[in-house]
Amino acid sequence: MSSCTRVALVTGANKGIGFAVTRELCRRFPGDVVLTARDEVRGRTAVQQLQAEGLSPRFHQLDIDDLQSIRALRDFLRREYGGLNVLVNNAGIAFKMDDPTPFDIQAELTLKTNFFATRNVCTELLPIMKPHGRVVNISSLQGSKALEDCSEALQERFRCDTLTEGDLVDLMKKFVEDAKNEVHGREGWPDSAYGVSKLGVTVLSRIMAWQLNEKRKADRILLNACCPGWVKTDMAGDQGSRTLEQGAETPVYLALLPPDATEPHGQLVRDKVVQNW
C-alpha cells in the first residue's frame, strides 16, 4: 500500500452497527476500509460475508481493551498508509436489563470498554489522523438521559466548558468507585452504567474536538459523537425500531463529511442533526 491510499477503519465491526457502517463505507469511501474485531475468526468471517457481496474490506485484529493491540494497529496503519483518514469508534458493550451481574461489576466493565478503551483508541490514533480526517464516536441518547438523571452538581460539571480530559477521567473513575462502595445514588449518579459510559463518550468527543482546534486547527479534522438510534442488534435485541442500515446512516454521514466542511465538530449528532444536550 502506498501512503497516498486513503484508509477508513471501524472498530467492533464484525456485527451490528459496526458491520453495517463498514459495508456502507466499502461502497462509498474512496480508499481502503479496514474491518476490525476482537475475535479474529468472527472478523474474517465478516470480511468473507462482505466479499460475497462484491466488496473488499481488509481485516485487522483489534481488542480495544488491550493497549498493545491498539498500538499494533496504529503501527500497521502508519506502515501501510502513513496514517488514517477515517476512524469510527463503534466497539462497545452493554449488559442486558435482566443481567444478574452486580451493579458495581457492570459499572467497572462497561466503563472500562465504552469509555476508557475508546479513549485509548483516540489517544493512540488521533496523532496519526491525516488532514481533513474524520473521527466518529458512537455514543447514545442514553448518555443524554444519564446526564438528565445526574444531580445538578454533576450536570454542571459535565456541561462545564472548562472541563478537561483529566477532569472527565476522574469523574468516570469516581462513578466506578461510588458504584463499588454502593453510594452512587447518594453521590448523584443514575442507575445506568451504560448511560454514564456513553455520557463520558459524548463529553470526551467535545473535549477532544477542542484539543484538535488548539493543536491542529489548520488540518480541519472533524470529530463528533453520534447516536445511531434504537437499532435491532444483539445489544438492543428485537426492541430496536431501526434497521442496521438506518443505524449506520448518521455515522457514515459524519465519516464522509466533505473535505471543506467545518462543522459539525465536537457535537452529538442524531439523524444528521446536532443535538442540544
Side-chain angles (χ1 to χ4, degrees), residues 1-7 31-34 58 76-82:
M1 293 299 129
S2 75
S3 60
C4 59
T5 304
R6 301 183 73 222
V7 60
D32 287 358
V33 179
V34 180
R58 297 189 73 182
F76 160 80
L77 292 167
R78 207 184 253 151
R79 190 172 63 244
E80 296 261 326
Y81 300 97

Side-chain angles (χ1 to χ4, degrees), residues 99-143:
D99 193 297
T101 307
F103 184 75
D104 64 315
I105 306 292
Q106 290 197 26
E108 186 179 356
L109 294 178
T110 305
L111 273 280
K112 179 188 173 198
T113 297
N114 294 2
F115 177 77
F116 290 105
T118 298
R119 173 175 174 253
N120 285 342
V121 173
C122 288
T123 302
E124 297 297 329
L125 297 187
L126 281 183
I128 68 163
M129 290 301 296
K130 294 185 177 184
H132 306 286
R134 303 290 179 248
V135 181
V136 185
N137 294 329
I138 306 287
S139 186
S140 169
L141 288 186
Q142 294 289 318

